[in-house]
Amino acid sequence: MQVAVKSTFRSNERDARSSSPGVADRGALTSRVGPNTLIQTVAALRERMGPGWAIHLSARAGLPDPLPRDMVEEHFFARLVKVLFEELETEDAEGILAASGVGTGRYVLRHRIPGFVRLGLRLLPARLSLRVLLSAIRRHAWTFAGSSDFTARMTPDGAEFTLAPSLVCVTAQAGRPMGDYYARAVETLVRALVSSKARVTEEACTATGAERCRFRIVLAPLPSHATKDVPTEDTCASS
Ligand SMILES: [Zn+2]
């Protein structure tokens, strides 16, 4: 079951073959990320701030027009994050990136994971399902992590993953954890496929001096004082 599920978790295989960064590319600005980093962030920007801001900040970031549908060089995403934090209130920039993460997770659910795989993951025991999902995320991590080094492991209460350096967090430089884009994207997947009560929180961040951004995935709800509140609409319906 595990092999079947892992082998059918689709990335954009054509792009993966042509653009997957090798070891030599790690850390270089030529690394690529999925187009959803731009598409979902601009959509969230338009939704939250209006089309005028979306046009203005897209131009300031030098984004291609129209936005590409194939893998994009990660510096475009870094530029977009930079201008978000330069021109908007920090809370607005954070909210846009969090919404972009949810949008990215929903896109992956609808377009990159076949229906029978979604069903299989939901039928498995939660920890086994999380292990399989985490393995798939690890294999495709470069599509959202770009040149960042990605690690993931199971823990007694769920799992954790790390990014170093996280493109968003090193770019935002806002003095507090900034990895909501990644947390909400993974949380959307885990809630839809493993446990609707799962939560993902960033517990260490390069924006506050940590060597790696570390994200904790908890399958059971944490005490309310231990995490930030997350809007209920983050719970993603199956597609
Ligand atoms: Zn971070």
Side-chain angles (χ1 to χ4, degrees), residues 161-166 169 179 202 204-207 210-215:
F161 65 94
T162 71
L163 288 165
S166 146
C169 299
E202 187 177 23
C205 184
T206 53
E211 286 190 8
R212 308 182 69 88
C213 293
R214 190 177 73 252
F215 299 83

Side-chain angles (χ1 to χ4, degrees), residues 181-196:
Y181 171 77
Y182 307 103
R184 299 287 78 76
V186 172
E187 185 176 79
T188 299
L189 291 171
V190 175
R191 284 186 173 184
L193 299 172
V194 179
S195 169
S196 62

Side-chain angles (χ1 to χ4, degrees), residues 127 130-131 134-135 137-138 150-163 186 190 199-204 212-219:
R127 280 187 63 81
L130 180 60
R131 183 184 295 276
L134 212 58
S135 176
I137 292 173
R138 182 191 295 114
F150 178 90
T151 69
R153 69 182 183 95
M154 297 296 291
T155 60
D157 58 0
E160 74 169 26
F161 65 94
T162 71
L163 288 165
V186 172
V190 175
R199 304 192 79 148
V200 179
T201 54
E202 187 177 23
E203 301 207 321
R212 308 182 69 88
C213 293
R214 190 177 73 252
F215 299 83
R216 182 183 180 196
I217 303 171
V218 178
L219 293 177

Side-chain angles (χ1 to χ4, degrees), residues 85-102:
F85 282 92
E86 282 178 352
E87 297 221 14
L88 302 177
E89 297 293 332
T90 299
E91 291 72 19
D92 288 326
E94 285 182 286
I96 288 164
L97 288 169
S100 176
V102 173

